[in-house]
Amino acid sequence: MWAGAGSSAEPLGLSWRTGLLAIATDVAQALAYLHEQGVVHRDLKLENVLLTADGTSKLCDFGLAHAYDVSASGEVVREQLKEVCGSKSYAAPEVLA
C-alpha cells in the first residue's frame, strides 16, 4: 500500500494516522474534482488508489467510470444510472439486494 516504503512501520516518515488522513484527503479531493467535471468513478476500492514515492495518492482504473453530459450553460446533466457495476465485495448491501 505504501509506495517505496518497504516494510517500514511508519511509511514515508509519517505516522500511520497522518498517512491515512493524507490518503483520505487526496482521494476526497480527487472525487470532488471528478464530480465537478461530471465524472463518477464507480469502482473506488483500495486497489484503485496508488501512492507515489512522495506519498501523494492517485486514483486509477477508470474503466467503469461514467461521464455525464454537460449542457450548453456548462452544467452537468445527471441522469439515474441503471446498471450495477464495480466490485461486489465493495458494494453497499442495498445495491446487492
Side-chain angles (χ1 to χ4, degrees), residues 21-89:
L21 182 59
I23 293 168
T25 300
D26 286 347
V27 170
Q29 290 174 339
L31 290 173
Y33 175 78
L34 288 170
H35 293 175
E36 288 170 6
Q37 304 305 310
V39 176
V40 289
H41 190 280
R42 301 199 310 173
D43 195 22
L44 185 61
K45 58 185 176 182
L46 295 174
E47 294 88 349
N48 291 339
V49 177
L50 303 177
L51 295 179
T52 64
D54 69 354
T56 303
S57 304
K58 305 283 185 176
L59 289 182
C60 67
D61 191 358
F62 285 80
L64 296 176
H66 177 79
Y68 288 104
D69 292 328
V70 178
S71 69
S73 65
E75 293 202 25
V76 176
V77 180
R78 301 189 196 285
E79 74 274 359
Q80 181 70 37
L81 298 176
K82 307 273 189 272
E83 71 274 3
V84 175
C85 64
S87 303
K88 289 186 181 179
S89 59

